[in-house]
Amino acid sequence: MFRPVRGMKDLYGTDIRKYNYIINKAVQIGEKYGYSIINTPILEYTDVFVRAIGDETDIVSKEMYTFLDKGGESITLRPEGTAGIMRAIVTESMTQSLPVKLMYYGEMFRYDRPQKGRYRQFHQLGCEHVGDKSPYTDAITIALAVEILNSIGIFDFKVLINTLGDTKTREDYTKGLVKYLSRHEGDLSEDSKRRLVKNPLRILDSKDKKDREICLMSPVITDYLSKESLTYFEKVCSLLSKFGVNYEVNNFLVRGLDYYTHTTFEFKPVSGEYREALGGGGRYDNLLSAFKGADVSGIGFAIGIERLMLLLEDNKFLPVSKKVAVIPVSENENDTSFDLLKTLYSCEIEAEFLHMGTITKKLKVANRLQCKLALIVGETEFKNGTVTVKFMNQEDSSLKTKLITRDDVVNFIKCNL
Ligand code: HAM
């Protein structure tokens, strides 16, 4: 039996209606905040991600779908959107007209362990504001993400926020962290032992139970913040309050990607079964220059669309059909019915042409397709230039059918749908 690749699924029916609903809302709000859409390729040269995300991160070291193409080039299915957008800003010379605000949505790929809300192919929608550094921009970006979530009907989450400070802050903090973690080196996982030398900050997002216990008592970055970084963070917090965004400072929020500096944030459900992050993001001071672009800062976030879909109730996304079924009783009425279908389409009426099988079968299909009306053309109707209208799912039998002339069909539908 064929089945989809593990961790990947077909999106259709209720799911795709939820997906489209989320995207439409997000794009509408993104446009209000001045963002325009960008659609970058799903494949990039592997180095784009390694350079941006960092080779000691879980994403790069364990989760990327990487392969050699037929020309022998190392190619990767994008695990996230930010790196490709930085590459595009440089290669499309958008650096000439910074700041730029770009919004994106689409599929991402991570070879992660599949579970509820975690897939190997999933979808993100994200925003990147590049070439502008100020606490105002940080606050506006977080407010934008919150407004997107709210517009979709998601209110039950908290905004966690932290700062990773500037380069000096992180250098000082890394020294403090290494000093603390070295005392527990024997108990660390093999991954974390390696990271202790190569990228100690990444130990803080280890999923290993023992590592996590050790990290709970580790020093926090806020104790190492430079004066400028602290002032910057305090301003972001006060602006968020001014904007009406409730937040909670969480000093352990370092996020799993290497490119962050200063503000980081995440959105986490507070009640209900599902508690994993709905989305997250942060500021990145050095990312564009890693692609040989201008030395400018940016900030952005991405939201996991499947995680939002989990929180939306299915029954609010049932199809709302205004559909009409055009049903010839036998082959003799096919051509007349076909003409009728053409008239309906030209009058912008949703319609289905059901010409296969018996009349009972055709009505069954009309029901399954949730058609509201069936227009039946039999021998008598064909001769008299009429149509029998059947009200589908009508309980009251006196209202079940009505004979009308073909000329009246469009008007009748418009008055009864
Ligand atoms: P991230 O935290 O790795 O950040 O991913 C953002 C969101 O994508 C997560 O909070 C989650 O909702 C969703 N997500 C991640 N992995 C999976 C998965 N395997 N299955 C389902 N959903 C998933 C980034 O990707 C950054 N690029 C965000 C960013 C943009 N930072 C600055 N600009």
Side-chain angles (χ1 to χ4, degrees):
M1 273 292 279
F2 284 111
R3 52 187 172 80
V5 172
R6 184 162 138 79
M8 307 197 176
K9 59 177 192 163
D10 304 304
L11 278 189
Y12 66 100
T14 308
D15 279 350
I16 201 72
R17 279 191 290 277
K18 286 182 179 177
Y19 180 90
N20 289 336
Y21 172 78
I22 292 167
I23 299 298
N24 287 339
K25 289 277 184 196
V27 169
Q28 217 179 339
I29 293 164
E31 282 173 352
K32 179 170 82 177
Y33 281 70
Y35 283 76
S36 42
I37 306 283
I38 183 168
N39 193 355
T40 60
I42 288 172
L43 296 174
E44 297 275 354
Y45 291 114
T46 303
D47 200 35
V48 167
F49 302 113
V50 177
R51 197 172 273 253
I53 302 168
D55 53 6
E56 274 301 321
T57 58
D58 276 354
I59 296 180
V60 170
S61 64
K62 298 178 188 164
E63 296 170 3
M64 293 206 308
Y65 282 88
T66 296
F67 59 96
L68 292 182
D69 70 6
K70 291 191 194 322
E73 304 261 24
S74 180
I75 304 282
T76 295
L77 281 166
R78 63 183 183 196
E80 58 103 58
T82 315
I85 289 184
M86 295 309 123
R87 194 270 309 137
I89 288 177
V90 174
T91 50
E92 301 301 325
S93 303
M94 287 184 239
T95 43
Q96 309 295 319
S97 47
L98 294 175
V100 61
K101 293 189 217 175
L102 299 170
M103 184 173 201
Y104 56 95
Y105 53 88
E107 36 290 280
M108 308 289 158
F109 302 83
R110 295 186 193 177
Y111 194 80
D112 211 337
R113 186 179 304 179
Q115 52 185 263
K116 192 172 182 188
R118 181 176 299 153
Y119 307 97
R120 290 182 175 173
Q121 176 175 334
F122 61 100
H123 298 78
Q124 281 186 342
L125 72 86
C127 288
E128 310 293 344
H129 185 166
V130 178
D132 179 317
K133 183 173 178 185
S134 100
Y136 293 93
T137 307
D138 295 29
I140 294 168
T141 308
I142 296 171
L144 162 62
V146 170
E147 188 170 337
I148 289 176
L149 291 169
N150 289 166
S151 77
I152 293 160
I154 296 173
F155 295 92
D156 187 29
F157 63 92
K158 57 185 169 188
V159 179
L160 300 174
I161 164 167
N162 191 25
T163 178
L164 302 185
D166 50 22
T167 311
K168 167 97 175 59
T169 303
R170 273 192 321 287
E171 277 170 9
D172 292 347
Y173 177 55
T174 305
K175 280 185 201 147
L177 192 62
V178 169
K179 201 168 158 197
Y180 166 79
L181 290 172
S182 299
R183 292 206 297 272
H184 300 274
E185 191 173 350
D187 293 326
L188 288 174
S189 68
E190 288 310 308
D191 267 354
S192 293
K193 278 182 190 143
R194 200 186 62 248
R195 285 171 170 164
L196 195 56
V197 183
K198 293 190 89 177
N199 192 342
L201 217 61
R202 290 281 67 88
I203 298 176
L204 297 176
D205 24 76
S206 167
K207 288 170 189 132
D208 181 89
K209 195 164 167 259
K210 189 85 188 148
D211 286 353
R212 290 177 87 109
E213 274 168 27
I214 294 169
C215 288
L216 274 181
M217 304 304 288
S218 71
V220 286
I221 199 154
T222 14
D223 298 336
Y224 294 81
L225 282 182
S226 64
K227 194 162 166 288
E228 296 75 32
S229 298
L230 181 62
T231 311
Y232 190 97
F233 186 58
E234 285 173 346
K235 184 71 181 173
V236 174
C237 291
S238 82
L239 290 170
L240 277 176
S241 302
K242 226 174 168 172
F243 222 95
V245 174
N246 291 321
Y247 61 87
E248 188 179 303
V249 175
N250 180 328
N251 296 137
F252 287 103
L253 187 70
V254 291
R255 312 243 322 119
L257 304 95
D258 272 358
Y259 50 64
Y260 293 116
T261 56
H262 291 283
T263 317
T264 54
F265 50 92
E266 232 167 58
F267 311 105
K268 283 217 161 160
V270 267
S271 62
E273 253 179 73
Y274 198 70
R275 298 294 178 94
E276 294 300 315
L278 303 177
R283 177 161 286 288
Y284 37 83
D285 275 350
N286 311 312
L287 189 49
L288 205 63
S289 56
F291 290 97
K292 302 203 167 27
D295 188 14
V296 293
S297 180
I299 183 165
F301 63 85
I303 293 174
I305 301 181
E306 279 79 3
R307 298 198 179 172
L308 304 191
M309 283 161 57
L310 268 180
L311 302 182
L312 297 180
E313 283 174 39
D314 284 359
N315 60 15
K316 295 206 173 125
F317 291 86
L318 297 175
V320 272
S321 164
K322 283 196 153 194
K323 223 183 271 177
V324 170
V326 179
I327 303 183
V329 173
S330 73
E331 271 184 23
N332 298 336
E333 294 86 35
N334 273 359
D335 282 1
T336 314
S337 303
F338 183 76
D339 289 344
L340 186 58
L341 180 81
K342 181 169 172 281
T343 310
L344 299 188
Y345 284 154
S346 65
C347 296
E348 307 304 323
I349 294 169
E350 275 181 59
E352 294 278 351
F353 185 48
L354 305 182
H355 59 94
M356 290 197 300
T358 61
I359 183 76
T360 320
K361 169 108 188 284
K362 290 170 191 168
L363 285 169
K364 245 190 196 162
V365 176
N367 240 332
R368 182 168 55 74
L369 295 174
Q370 298 184 313
C371 296
K372 292 278 184 283
L373 300 175
L375 307 181
I376 301 167
V377 185
E379 203 181 335
T380 321
E381 289 89 347
F382 174 70
K383 276 194 200 137
N384 299 343
T386 54
V387 170
T388 296
V389 182
K390 181 171 166 52
F391 292 83
M392 307 297 287
N393 294 325
Q394 182 57 258
E395 307 261 297
D396 183 347
S397 58
S398 66
L399 295 175
K400 271 186 174 166
T401 57
K402 193 167 169 60
L403 193 71
I404 58 171
T405 66
R406 223 170 290 158
D407 292 343
D408 285 341
V409 164
V410 170
N411 242 343
F412 184 87
I413 292 173
K414 290 202 163 158
C415 295
N416 284 280
L417 270 189

